[in-house]
Amino acid sequence: MNPPAQKTRTPLTLYARSRAMPATLGALAGVALAAAWAAWWLQAQPGFDHSARVPVVVLAPLLASAAIGTGMYTYSDELDRTAVRPWWPRRLAVLLGLTALAAALLALGVPGHPEAFGGPAAVRNLLGAVGVTAGAAALLGARLSWLPMTAYTSAVYLAAPRAPGGAAALWAWPLQPGPQAWAWAAAVVAYGCGAGVYVWRGARREDH
């Protein structure tokens, strides 16, 4: 009798499973559902103003980026660094895939006027938060990757001026409305730099 056929798994599939992908996907879905419920609840309140969604478009991307960042931890660090084939294409594919999925979920979960605090602002904040978190994973380790963006967002939330635009659009980009060009530029640069460092180096080695 012939032995049962073994299911072949691609390197990308194995890489995704080693990063606890099901848990990360579940966390992203939970964040999107919570954001959708919060956005709907706020919109249903009397005297609703679009600025009331600021906590949603700030906290939801922050939580989604934390889920993506902690998922970068691996128990096979030595195997990853001594593998024959380079790991950066897999890191890039997984990071881009998770970012695209989270962006789509938040864009659907936080509707509203693009010029205010709706889906575009949530997607922009997600890009910047994921970039900072990915860079932190490369420098601090995946377990602490959520910390720098959380500290930065907290400081900006307290110090940002109430009026949008101006120079604050660069350093207070998480609190800017959707169409602020400089806020988008800052978030895209943060994503590109952070993702580039992570894809090149991978998450910092940590004691198991």
Side-chain angles (χ1 to χ4, degrees), residues 1 21 31 34 40 51 76 99-100 103 109 119 126 128 131 135 140 173-174 177 201:
M1 181 179 295
M21 190 62 64
V31 169
W40 171 83
S51 61
S76 58
T99 303
L126 174 77
L140 302 178
W173 52 267
R201 296 187 54 180

Side-chain angles (χ1 to χ4, degrees), residues 48-205:
F48 167 76
D49 181 78
H50 290 286
S51 61
R53 284 184 178 167
V54 170
V56 178
V57 300
V58 171
L59 290 178
L62 183 62
L63 293 175
S65 67
I68 294 174
T70 54
M72 296 173 180
Y73 179 77
T74 176
Y75 289 94
S76 58
D77 180 81
E78 294 83 0
L79 295 177
D80 289 357
R81 299 184 185 279
T82 58
V84 176
R85 295 182 178 180
W87 282 99
W88 72 263
R90 298 166 181 81
R91 288 195 288 264
L92 177 62
V94 171
L95 182 60
L96 291 179
L98 289 176
T99 303
L101 175 62
L105 291 176
L106 290 182
L108 294 173
V110 188
H113 298 289
E115 67 273 12
F117 296 96
V123 172
R124 180 203 63 215
N125 288 350
L126 174 77
L127 290 177
V130 171
V132 175
T133 302
L139 299 177
L140 302 178
R143 290 176 175 176
L144 294 177
S145 60
W146 56 272
L147 187 57
M149 190 60 203
T150 301
Y152 180 75
T153 302
S154 301
V156 167
Y157 198 88
L158 296 175
R162 298 180 64 88
L170 281 173
W171 61 268
W173 52 267
L175 298 178
Q176 299 295 309
Q180 289 291 334
W182 287 112
W184 272 96
V188 170
V189 169
Y191 184 80
C193 294
V197 172
Y198 167 72
V199 169
W200 173 50
R201 296 187 54 180
R204 181 181 178 181
R205 183 177 181 179

